[in-house]
Amino acid sequence: MLGQRCGARFSKGRELRTRGSSAPGASRAPWWPPAGPPRARPPTARRRLTRPPSLRPQAPGPRPAAPARTPARVAAPSAMKRGLIVGAGLTGSLCAALLRKEVSGPLYLAVWDMAGQPGGRMSTARCPQDPRCTADLGAQYVTRTPQYATRHQTFYDELLAHGILKPLVSPIEGMVMKEGDCNFVAPQGISSVVKHYLKQSGAEVSFRHCVTQINLRNGKWEVFKETGSPEQFDFVVLTMPVPQILQLQGDFVNLISEYQRQQLESVSYSSRYALGLFYEAGMKIDVPWAGQYITSNPCIRFVSIDNKKRNIESSEIGPSLVVHTTVPFGVTYLEHSIEHVQELILQQLENILPGLPPPVATTCYKWRHSQVTSGTTSCSGQMTLHRKPFLVCGGDGFAQSNFDGCITSALCLLEALRNHIYT
C-alpha cells in the first residue's frame, strides 16, 4: 500500500510538470482557463468544520482500563513459518499434533526420521509375506499409573475412543503390577499410536532422512541430511535419542553451551535386541500365556505371542512371536552382526519353547538406545538450546522413560514453542 501511494504522487507530479511545459518544437494549448470575464458562481453556504467527538480535546483524567484479554490460540505471523521435528517417535509425533492444534495461522511442519517407518521405539514390524501379520518390536504395552491417570486423562480417553488402545486382558506371566496401574495394548500394533498423532499433525513426514549437521544461515536453521539438498527452517525440534543429538555437526557444535553439553552427555541408555518371528496361518503356539518375563536365561528377558497379547487371534492370519533380550546380552553383543545375534537368540528360544516350527520370516533389530537409565538432572521435559532462531530438544531423556514421560516432554516442548516462536 505504501508503494502504491508513493507511486500515485509521483505520477501526479510528472503530470503537472508535463502540463506546464511542452517538448521543444511542440505546440500545446495552455492548461489555464482562457482570458475573459469570470463566470458567476452560485451562492453556497459556508460549512463549519467540526471535529468528531472522538478527536475533540478531553478533560484530563484517569485513562479507562484496558479490556480483559481472553485466552486464544497462538496466531502465526502472516508469513508462513517452517518448522522441523526430527524423530517420528511418540514425543515427536505428539509434539507435531499439539503444535498443529495450537497454531491458528499458516504453518509448514515437517517430520524427519532416519528409519524407514514411523514409531521410533514404538515400532511395529510386518511379515513380508502377509502384512496383516505384525509384531511389536519396541514397547509391548502401555502402563497408566495413578500419578498420570488424571493429568493425562484426555490423551488416554482419545486413544481409547478411537480404538487405538484397549485394555490388556491376556495373561502376562511375571508382570509386576502395582496398585492402581492399568495396562493397555494397541490392536493394530503399537506404532498405530504414533501414526494417529502424525495424521493429526498434517505434517509432511519423510523417512530415511538422517540429519547430519545444523548451521545458522541468515536467521534460519539450515539442516543437512545424508542425502539430498539442505533445507531451511525457522525452528527445529530434536526428539531423537540424546547420543544422536550429540553427534550433530556444523554450527550446532559451537552454539550449545558447555553446561548444556554436560547435561546431554549425562543421559545414558540400556541396549538390547528384539527378534520377531512370523508364522504361516493355522499354526498354533500352545502356551497358556500371551507374554512371559524370563528370569533364568542369560539371553532372553521377555517372550510374547504378539497376536495373542493383542487379542487378535485369527485363523486367516498366522501368529507372530517377539523376543526381547536381556540388557547384559545386548551390551555384550552390541557390535556383533545381526545374523550372529539372531542365531544365538534362536538357540536360547529353543530351550524356552522347544519344538517351534521354522518361521516364514524373521526380523532382528538392535535397540542401541532402548530405555533411559539416567536422564538429565536439571531439565524438565525439554532443553532450549538456542532462542533466535529457536532450537529445542526433548524426549524421554528429559523426563521418564515411558509413555507418560513422552507425553510430559511433548507438552513441555509445546510450551517452549508457544513462548518463543510467535513472540
Side-chain angles (χ1 to χ4, degrees), residues 86 112-115 207-214 223-231 244 247-249:
V86 183
W112 292 359
D113 198 283
M114 64 185 298
F207 302 112
R208 306 196 187 282
H209 276 41
C210 181
V211 175
T212 57
Q213 61 176 297
I214 300 178
V223 184
F224 290 74
K225 48 189 183 293
E226 284 186 346
T227 58
S229 302
E231 297 186 34
Q244 295 177 6
Q247 291 174 357
L248 294 175
Q249 299 298 310

Side-chain angles (χ1 to χ4, degrees), residues 356-417:
L356 282 175
V360 296
T362 62
T363 179
C364 188
Y365 192 84
K366 177 196 300 184
W367 290 112
R368 183 179 294 274
H369 308 113
S370 177
Q371 288 180 295
V372 176
T373 56
S374 176
T376 55
T377 58
S378 61
C379 300
S380 178
Q382 59 88 18
M383 179 187 290
T384 299
L385 302 176
H386 199 270
R387 295 189 181 275
K388 289 185 179 181
F390 198 67
L391 177 65
V392 64
C393 54
D396 58 353
F398 304 87
Q400 64 269 19
S401 191
N402 54 28
F403 188 81
D404 286 299
C406 292
I407 295 179
T408 298
S409 181
L411 290 170
C412 293
L413 287 168
L414 176 67
E415 188 65 24
L417 290 163

